[in-house]
Each structure stands twice: as structure tokens, then as C-alpha cells.
Amino acid sequence: AQKVTQAQTEISVVEKEDVTLDCVYETRDTTYYLFWYKQPPSGELVFLIRRNSFDEQNEISGRYSWNFQKSTSSFNFTITASQVVDSAVYFCALSEPLRGANNLFFGTGTRLTVIP
Amino acid sequence: ETGVTQTPRHLVMGMTNKKSLKCEQHLGHNAMYWYKQSAKKPLELMFVYSLEERVENNSVPSRFSPECPNSSHLFLHLHTLQPEDSALYLCASSQEGFGGKLFFGSGTQLSVL
């Protein structure tokens, strides 16, 4: 069965600090996709990144970077020089195929608070 | 205009009421989803429709009844709910099948008294 663990429930950092959000997943599938979503107070989950199981290349997008390691089943997310606007709940998710659709198994989320 | 729109944003209902949640997507996607988000629990998939056909019903109680009249609209009909059904209900859509990105609405915050 698919499972995603985000051990950090809440993190607080001071603005401009770097912060890493951890994600560990379990799956028996050889082909899978991993996602990160951001949920600001408005409630809408905002897509940040998707990574498939055959692409272990790390990715950087501005202040955001992702470290995917199949050997440890981890897909960690780092925010560099954090800003107040980064305050949100961040979810890691693992996909399962579903007849023309895509089921995402989510972790319980990490609430990030950036203090000005 | 946002890609996925949900109405109402907030809903308070009694246990004997009947209400419906509405979701509309403007992205041309062919799959739509209902997720339930309760405090301190992972998001739970409730229903999935692909090409207007229900492909998943995750052991959801019958007091929740989905309807997908076309690829752009999705409803969740509610009747005789329980207080533990209070949660944020999120609608999403996708296009790409397995591995596709889900696009979410802002949700309906439901309180059952």
C-alpha cells in the first residue's frame, strides 16, 4: 500500500533562514510519481513540483529545491532564504494509477511559519 | 477566473438537512475528484470520475452522494450528516491520467451541528 510520512508537524523559522521539509514514502510500485503541494490559508492546494520514479535529478526553482533519493525513499523540499509569504501547510504526495485518473496519497502535512 | 471553482465556501447544516456542494472546472480536464480534509488527518480521496464515469468510491458512507453530469461539473449531495463529517471538502481536476497534476479548488468548509 502507498504511504507518505511527513514527520514534521510544525516548523517555525525566522525570515531569511533556510528550511527543509522532509518526506518519506512507501510503495511497491516501480513506476510512481511524487508531488509537493502548498496550502495557504485560502485553502486551495497549489501544485509545486512533480517527479517520476525514473528521474532522480534534483531540481531547483528559484528559492525552492527538491532532493529525491530512491535509496532512502525520500523526497525532501528546501526553501532557501525563507519569506513570510512561504508560511503555509506543505503536503507531499505519492500517486497511484486509477483508470484514466490519478489518485494521490497525501502525507499529513507540515505547517511552516516564517516569522518576520 | 480560477481553474477550479467551488461553492459555497462555507456551509453550516443540521444533521437532518440536505445540501449540495458544487464544483466547476474551466480547464478542459477529463477527471474530477472529491477529497475530504479533516484536522490532523491526511487528505482522503472520496470519489473520482473519469470521463464522467465513477472509477473510485473509497468506502464513503451513503449519506454522501456524488454526481457528475458532464466533464466540467461535479456535485456532492449531502443528507443526514453527522458532526464528524465536519471538514474541508476539496474538489480537484486532472487531465493527464497516471502521474497527472491535480488542480484544486479552494474548498467548502462544512460544519455539521
Side-chain angles (χ1 to χ4, degrees):
Chain A
Q2 319 284 50
K3 184 179 179 182
V4 175
T5 301
Q6 294 180 256
Q8 304 151 308
T9 305
E10 297 189 26
I11 300 176
S12 292
V13 298
V14 177
E15 199 170 21
K16 297 184 182 178
E17 287 184 348
D18 299 347
V19 58
T20 295
L21 309 182
D22 297 332
C23 173
V24 175
Y25 62 93
E26 296 177 29
T27 181
R28 295 181 180 178
D29 297 336
T30 55
T31 301
Y32 53 88
Y33 291 82
L34 293 162
F35 298 77
W36 275 96
Y37 280 84
K38 173 182 180 180
Q39 187 177 39
S42 61
E44 176 183 350
L45 272 77
V46 178
F47 168 82
L48 295 178
I49 190 171
R50 171 182 57 191
R51 174 67 74 229
N52 74 51
S53 52
F54 298 105
D55 182 3
E56 289 193 69
Q57 186 173 5
N58 293 327
E59 181 158 339
I60 298 174
S61 176
R63 297 184 296 107
Y64 296 170
S65 62
W66 290 269
N67 184 358
F68 175 33
Q69 293 197 348
K70 287 179 72 172
S71 60
T72 55
S73 297
S74 65
F75 187 42
N76 297 336
F77 173 31
T78 297
I79 301 175
T80 302
S82 59
Q83 300 176 3
V84 173
V85 293
D86 296 326
S87 296
V89 182
Y90 290 86
F91 291 93
C92 180
L94 173 66
S95 65
E96 173 186 69
L98 195 62
R99 279 173 38 207
N102 187 33
N103 183 19
L104 297 187
F105 288 86
F106 286 85
T108 49
T110 297
R111 180 178 297 279
L112 174 66
T113 302
V114 181
I115 303 166
Chain B
E1 186 174 324
T2 58
V4 180
T5 304
Q6 290 186 243
T7 55
R9 289 297 309 274
H10 302 273
L11 178 62
V12 179
M13 59 186 290
M15 295 169 62
T16 59
N17 291 158
K18 290 184 178 181
K19 297 287 184 182
S20 295
L21 310 184
K22 179 183 176 182
C23 176
E24 183 174 0
Q25 59 101 354
H26 311 279
L27 301 169
H29 291 169
N30 57 20
M32 296 187 75
Y33 310 71
W34 281 116
Y35 277 86
K36 176 183 179 183
Q37 185 176 23
S38 305
K40 299 184 179 180
K41 292 177 68 175
L43 276 79
E44 304 170 62
L45 179 66
M46 299 177 72
F47 301 102
V48 181
Y49 280 82
S50 178
L51 298 173
E52 299 158 44
E53 176 186 347
R54 187 191 302 183
V55 298
E56 180 78 0
N57 176 359
N58 245 357
S59 302
V60 178
S62 59
R63 56 186 184 270
F64 295 91
S65 175
E67 178 188 2
C68 187
N70 55 61
S71 61
S72 299
H73 294 86
L74 184 65
F75 295 89
L76 187 62
H77 303 300
L78 318 171
H79 64 97
T80 60
L81 294 191
Q82 305 297 312
E84 60 264 28
D85 297 323
S86 298
L88 180 68
Y89 289 85
L90 290 160
C91 174
S93 68
S94 69
Q95 176 63 26
E96 301 165 79
F98 178 43
K101 293 177 283 189
L102 269 62
F103 292 79
F104 286 83
S106 297
T108 295
Q109 185 65 56
L110 173 66
S111 297
V112 181
L113 305 179

PDB file of all heavy atoms in Angstrom, chain A residues 6-7 9 18 22 24 30-31 36 43-44 49 51 60 62 65 70-72 77 87-89 93 109:
ATOM      1  N   GLN A   6       5.217  12.548   6.706  1.00  0.00           N
ATOM      2  CA  GLN A   6       5.841  13.854   6.931  1.00  0.00           C
ATOM      3  C   GLN A   6       5.949  13.993   8.441  1.00  0.00           C
ATOM      4  O   GLN A   6       4.990  14.335   9.120  1.00  0.00           O
ATOM      5  CB  GLN A   6       5.001  14.974   6.328  1.00  0.00           C
ATOM      6  CG  GLN A   6       4.926  14.914   4.811  1.00  0.00           C
ATOM      7  CD  GLN A   6       4.089  16.044   4.244  1.00  0.00           C
ATOM      8  OE1 GLN A   6       2.949  15.820   3.837  1.00  0.00           O
ATOM      9  NE2 GLN A   6       4.657  17.233   4.208  1.00  0.00           N
ATOM     10  N   ALA A   7       7.118  13.688   8.959  1.00  0.00           N
ATOM     11  CA  ALA A   7       7.290  13.600  10.414  1.00  0.00           C
ATOM     12  C   ALA A   7       7.209  14.962  11.097  1.00  0.00           C
ATOM     13  O   ALA A   7       6.844  15.048  12.270  1.00  0.00           O
ATOM     14  CB  ALA A   7       8.613  12.929  10.741  1.00  0.00           C
ATOM     15  N   THR A   9       5.462  18.088  12.036  1.00  0.00           N
ATOM     16  CA  THR A   9       4.102  18.609  12.036  1.00  0.00           C
ATOM     17  C   THR A   9       4.113  20.129  11.855  1.00  0.00           C
ATOM     18  O   THR A   9       3.327  20.665  11.072  1.00  0.00           O
ATOM     19  CB  THR A   9       3.405  18.258  13.357  1.00  0.00           C
ATOM     20  OG1 THR A   9       3.470  16.850  13.546  1.00  0.00           O
ATOM     21  CG2 THR A   9       1.960  18.701  13.334  1.00  0.00           C
ATOM     22  N   ASP A  18      17.062  29.233   5.965  1.00  0.00           N
ATOM     23  CA  ASP A  18      16.733  28.112   5.092  1.00  0.00           C
ATOM     24  C   ASP A  18      15.974  27.074   5.910  1.00  0.00           C
ATOM     25  O   ASP A  18      16.193  26.919   7.116  1.00  0.00           O
ATOM     26  CB  ASP A  18      17.999  27.473   4.530  1.00  0.00           C
ATOM     27  CG  ASP A  18      18.839  28.426   3.699  1.00  0.00           C
ATOM     28  OD1 ASP A  18      18.329  29.519   3.338  1.00  0.00           O
ATOM     29  OD2 ASP A  18      20.006  28.095   3.414  1.00  0.00           O
ATOM     30  N   ASP A  22      10.747  17.424   5.296  1.00  0.00           N
ATOM     31  CA  ASP A  22      11.056  16.035   4.993  1.00  0.00           C
ATOM     32  C   ASP A  22       9.832  15.271   4.497  1.00  0.00           C
ATOM     33  O   ASP A  22       8.701  15.520   4.933  1.00  0.00           O
ATOM     34  CB  ASP A  22      11.594  15.333   6.244  1.00  0.00           C
ATOM     35  CG  ASP A  22      12.894  15.938   6.741  1.00  0.00           C
ATOM     36  OD1 ASP A  22      13.644  16.499   5.913  1.00  0.00           O
ATOM     37  OD2 ASP A  22      13.154  15.854   7.957  1.00  0.00           O
ATOM     38  N   VAL A  24       9.020  11.060   3.448  1.00  0.00           N
ATOM     39  CA  VAL A  24       9.427   9.669   3.242  1.00  0.00           C
ATOM     40  C   VAL A  24       8.219   8.909   2.733  1.00  0.00           C
ATOM     41  O   VAL A  24       7.110   9.091   3.232  1.00  0.00           O
ATOM     42  CB  VAL A  24       9.941   9.050   4.553  1.00  0.00           C
ATOM     43  CG1 VAL A  24      10.252   7.570   4.347  1.00  0.00           C
ATOM     44  CG2 VAL A  24      11.186   9.781   5.034  1.00  0.00           C
ATOM     45  N   THR A  30       7.166   0.130  -9.141  1.00  0.00           N
ATOM     46  CA  THR A  30       8.449   0.580  -9.689  1.00  0.00           C
ATOM     47  C   THR A  30       8.293   1.893 -10.440  1.00  0.00           C
ATOM     48  O   THR A  30       9.260   2.627 -10.613  1.00  0.00           O
ATOM     49  CB  THR A  30       9.028  -0.474 -10.643  1.00  0.00           C
ATOM     50  OG1 THR A  30       8.066  -0.774 -11.651  1.00  0.00           O
ATOM     51  CG2 THR A  30       9.371  -1.748  -9.880  1.00  0.00           C
ATOM     52  N   THR A  31       7.080   2.157 -10.883  1.00  0.00           N
ATOM     53  CA  THR A  31       6.789   3.425 -11.550  1.00  0.00           C
ATOM     54  C   THR A  31       5.812   4.208 -10.687  1.00  0.00           C
ATOM     55  O   THR A  31       4.720   3.718 -10.391  1.00  0.00           O
ATOM     56  CB  THR A  31       6.188   3.200 -12.941  1.00  0.00           C
ATOM     57  OG1 THR A  31       7.097   2.440 -13.739  1.00  0.00           O
ATOM     58  CG2 THR A  31       5.914   4.537 -13.614  1.00  0.00           C
ATOM     59  N   TRP A  36       4.737  17.732  -4.516  1.00  0.00           N
ATOM     60  CA  TRP A  36       4.638  18.658  -3.388  1.00  0.00           C
ATOM     61  C   TRP A  36       3.569  19.695  -3.729  1.00  0.00           C
ATOM     62  O   TRP A  36       3.544  20.212  -4.845  1.00  0.00           O
ATOM     63  CB  TRP A  36       5.954  19.377  -3.107  1.00  0.00           C
ATOM     64  CG  TRP A  36       6.893  18.601  -2.241  1.00  0.00           C
ATOM     65  CD1 TRP A  36       7.919  17.800  -2.642  1.00  0.00           C
ATOM     66  CD2 TRP A  36       6.899  18.559  -0.809  1.00  0.00           C
ATOM     67  NE1 TRP A  36       8.560  17.260  -1.560  1.00  0.00           N
ATOM     68  CE2 TRP A  36       7.958  17.703  -0.420  1.00  0.00           C
ATOM     69  CE3 TRP A  36       6.123  19.159   0.183  1.00  0.00           C
ATOM     70  CZ2 TRP A  36       8.258  17.445   0.922  1.00  0.00           C
ATOM     71  CZ3 TRP A  36       6.415  18.891   1.508  1.00  0.00           C
ATOM     72  CH2 TRP A  36       7.466  18.035   1.865  1.00  0.00           C
ATOM     73  N   GLY A  43      -6.908  27.990   1.468  1.00  0.00           N
ATOM     74  CA  GLY A  43      -7.423  26.627   1.384  1.00  0.00           C
ATOM     75  C   GLY A  43      -7.066  25.865   0.126  1.00  0.00           C
ATOM     76  O   GLY A  43      -7.036  24.634   0.134  1.00  0.00           O
ATOM     77  N   GLU A  44      -6.815  26.546  -0.957  1.00  0.00           N
ATOM     78  CA  GLU A  44      -6.536  25.875  -2.218  1.00  0.00           C
ATOM     79  C   GLU A  44      -5.152  25.243  -2.215  1.00  0.00           C
ATOM     80  O   GLU A  44      -4.179  25.874  -1.848  1.00  0.00           O
ATOM     81  CB  GLU A  44      -6.629  26.909  -3.348  1.00  0.00           C
ATOM     82  CG  GLU A  44      -6.277  26.412  -4.722  1.00  0.00           C
ATOM     83  CD  GLU A  44      -6.346  27.534  -5.737  1.00  0.00           C
ATOM     84  OE1 GLU A  44      -6.849  28.611  -5.390  1.00  0.00           O
ATOM     85  OE2 GLU A  44      -5.896  27.324  -6.870  1.00  0.00           O
ATOM     86  N   ILE A  49       5.621  20.848  -7.517  1.00  0.00           N
ATOM     87  CA  ILE A  49       6.528  20.053  -8.333  1.00  0.00           C
ATOM     88  C   ILE A  49       6.004  18.627  -8.454  1.00  0.00           C
ATOM     89  O   ILE A  49       5.273  18.137  -7.590  1.00  0.00           O
ATOM     90  CB  ILE A  49       7.950  20.019  -7.739  1.00  0.00           C
ATOM     91  CG1 ILE A  49       8.929  19.383  -8.736  1.00  0.00           C
ATOM     92  CG2 ILE A  49       7.960  19.276  -6.400  1.00  0.00           C
ATOM     93  CD1 ILE A  49      10.383  19.506  -8.335  1.00  0.00           C
ATOM     94  N   ARG A  51       7.649  14.718  -9.708  1.00  0.00           N
ATOM     95  CA  ARG A  51       8.860  13.982 -10.053  1.00  0.00           C
ATOM     96  C   ARG A  51       8.487  12.535 -10.287  1.00  0.00           C
ATOM     97  O   ARG A  51       7.785  11.954  -9.483  1.00  0.00           O
ATOM     98  CB  ARG A  51       9.893  14.111  -8.921  1.00  0.00           C
ATOM     99  CG  ARG A  51      11.141  13.298  -9.070  1.00  0.00           C
ATOM    100  CD  ARG A  51      11.987  13.767 -10.226  1.00  0.00           C
ATOM    101  NE  ARG A  51      12.657  15.022  -9.930  1.00  0.00           N
ATOM    102  CZ  ARG A  51      12.641  16.075 -10.762  1.00  0.00           C
ATOM    103  NH1 ARG A  51      11.994  16.012 -11.908  1.00  0.00           N
ATOM    104  NH2 ARG A  51      13.293  17.150 -10.457  1.00  0.00           N
ATOM    105  N   ILE A  60      15.883  22.674  -8.992  1.00  0.00           N
ATOM    106  CA  ILE A  60      15.884  23.966  -8.308  1.00  0.00           C
ATOM    107  C   ILE A  60      14.981  24.901  -9.092  1.00  0.00           C
ATOM    108  O   ILE A  60      15.052  24.972 -10.324  1.00  0.00           O
ATOM    109  CB  ILE A  60      17.308  24.556  -8.228  1.00  0.00           C
ATOM    110  CG1 ILE A  60      18.218  23.639  -7.411  1.00  0.00           C
ATOM    111  CG2 ILE A  60      17.270  25.949  -7.613  1.00  0.00           C
ATOM    112  CD1 ILE A  60      19.668  24.079  -7.403  1.00  0.00           C
ATOM    113  N   GLY A  62      14.091  28.777  -8.440  1.00  0.00           N
ATOM    114  CA  GLY A  62      14.202  29.971  -7.609  1.00  0.00           C
ATOM    115  C   GLY A  62      14.720  29.637  -6.225  1.00  0.00           C
ATOM    116  O   GLY A  62      15.802  29.057  -6.081  1.00  0.00           O
ATOM    117  N   SER A  65      14.063  24.064  -3.817  1.00  0.00           N
ATOM    118  CA  SER A  65      14.820  22.957  -4.377  1.00  0.00           C
ATOM    119  C   SER A  65      14.298  21.652  -3.783  1.00  0.00           C
ATOM    120  O   SER A  65      13.766  21.628  -2.669  1.00  0.00           O
ATOM    121  CB  SER A  65      16.320  23.111  -4.107  1.00  0.00           C
ATOM    122  OG  SER A  65      16.586  23.107  -2.724  1.00  0.00           O
ATOM    123  N   LYS A  70      15.919   7.745  -4.159  1.00  0.00           N
ATOM    124  CA  LYS A  70      15.208   6.466  -4.141  1.00  0.00           C
ATOM    125  C   LYS A  70      15.803   5.524  -3.105  1.00  0.00           C
ATOM    126  O   LYS A  70      15.086   4.707  -2.526  1.00  0.00           O
ATOM    127  CB  LYS A  70      15.253   5.818  -5.531  1.00  0.00           C
ATOM    128  CG  LYS A  70      14.345   6.501  -6.530  1.00  0.00           C
ATOM    129  CD  LYS A  70      14.424   5.844  -7.891  1.00  0.00           C
ATOM    130  CE  LYS A  70      13.752   4.501  -7.903  1.00  0.00           C
ATOM    131  NZ  LYS A  70      13.661   3.964  -9.275  1.00  0.00           N
ATOM    132  N   SER A  71      17.093   5.608  -2.872  1.00  0.00           N
ATOM    133  CA  SER A  71      17.749   4.686  -1.942  1.00  0.00           C
ATOM    134  C   SER A  71      17.195   4.809  -0.530  1.00  0.00           C
ATOM    135  O   SER A  71      17.167   3.832   0.233  1.00  0.00           O
ATOM    136  CB  SER A  71      19.264   4.933  -1.925  1.00  0.00           C
ATOM    137  OG  SER A  71      19.541   6.265  -1.517  1.00  0.00           O
ATOM    138  N   THR A  72      16.733   6.009  -0.183  1.00  0.00           N
ATOM    139  CA  THR A  72      16.169   6.224   1.152  1.00  0.00           C
ATOM    140  C   THR A  72      14.673   6.522   1.087  1.00  0.00           C
ATOM    141  O   THR A  72      14.056   6.861   2.101  1.00  0.00           O
ATOM    142  CB  THR A  72      16.877   7.383   1.857  1.00  0.00           C
ATOM    143  OG1 THR A  72      16.800   8.557   1.025  1.00  0.00           O
ATOM    144  CG2 THR A  72      18.342   7.054   2.126  1.00  0.00           C
ATOM    145  N   PHE A  77      12.170  18.789   0.520  1.00  0.00           N
ATOM    146  CA  PHE A  77      11.898  20.095  -0.080  1.00  0.00           C
ATOM    147  C   PHE A  77      12.594  21.162   0.757  1.00  0.00           C
ATOM    148  O   PHE A  77      12.378  21.236   1.969  1.00  0.00           O
ATOM    149  CB  PHE A  77      10.384  20.300  -0.104  1.00  0.00           C
ATOM    150  CG  PHE A  77       9.904  21.653  -0.525  1.00  0.00           C
ATOM    151  CD1 PHE A  77      10.605  22.437  -1.432  1.00  0.00           C
ATOM    152  CD2 PHE A  77       8.694  22.138  -0.034  1.00  0.00           C
ATOM    153  CE1 PHE A  77      10.129  23.674  -1.827  1.00  0.00           C
ATOM    154  CE2 PHE A  77       8.206  23.379  -0.423  1.00  0.00           C
ATOM    155  CZ  PHE A  77       8.922  24.151  -1.314  1.00  0.00           C
ATOM    156  N   SER A  87       4.794  31.038   4.415  1.00  0.00           N
ATOM    157  CA  SER A  87       4.009  30.452   5.507  1.00  0.00           C
ATOM    158  C   SER A  87       2.781  29.750   4.930  1.00  0.00           C
ATOM    159  O   SER A  87       1.953  30.375   4.254  1.00  0.00           O
ATOM    160  CB  SER A  87       3.580  31.537   6.505  1.00  0.00           C
ATOM    161  OG  SER A  87       4.703  32.121   7.130  1.00  0.00           O
ATOM    162  N   ALA A  88       2.667  28.473   5.209  1.00  0.00           N
ATOM    163  CA  ALA A  88       1.583  27.658   4.643  1.00  0.00           C
ATOM    164  C   ALA A  88       1.742  26.239   5.187  1.00  0.00           C
ATOM    165  O   ALA A  88       2.686  25.938   5.911  1.00  0.00           O
ATOM    166  CB  ALA A  88       1.644  27.642   3.122  1.00  0.00           C
ATOM    167  N   VAL A  89       0.808  25.388   4.781  1.00  0.00           N
ATOM    168  CA  VAL A  89       0.967  23.959   5.046  1.00  0.00           C
ATOM    169  C   VAL A  89       1.441  23.310   3.748  1.00  0.00           C
ATOM    170  O   VAL A  89       0.879  23.565   2.681  1.00  0.00           O
ATOM    171  CB  VAL A  89      -0.349  23.310   5.513  1.00  0.00           C
ATOM    172  CG1 VAL A  89      -0.132  21.840   5.825  1.00  0.00           C
ATOM    173  CG2 VAL A  89      -0.887  24.037   6.743  1.00  0.00           C
ATOM    174  N   ALA A  93       2.983  14.093  -1.662  1.00  0.00           N
ATOM    175  CA  ALA A  93       2.001  13.107  -2.104  1.00  0.00           C
ATOM    176  C   ALA A  93       2.628  12.104  -3.061  1.00  0.00           C
ATOM    177  O   ALA A  93       3.587  12.414  -3.779  1.00  0.00           O
ATOM    178  CB  ALA A  93       0.817  13.799  -2.768  1.00  0.00           C
ATOM    179  N   GLY A 109       1.063  16.585   6.199  1.00  0.00           N
ATOM    180  CA  GLY A 109       1.408  17.985   6.010  1.00  0.00           C
ATOM    181  C   GLY A 109       2.350  18.530   7.072  1.00  0.00           C
ATOM    182  O   GLY A 109       2.410  18.033   8.198  1.00  0.00           O
TER     183      GLY A 109
END
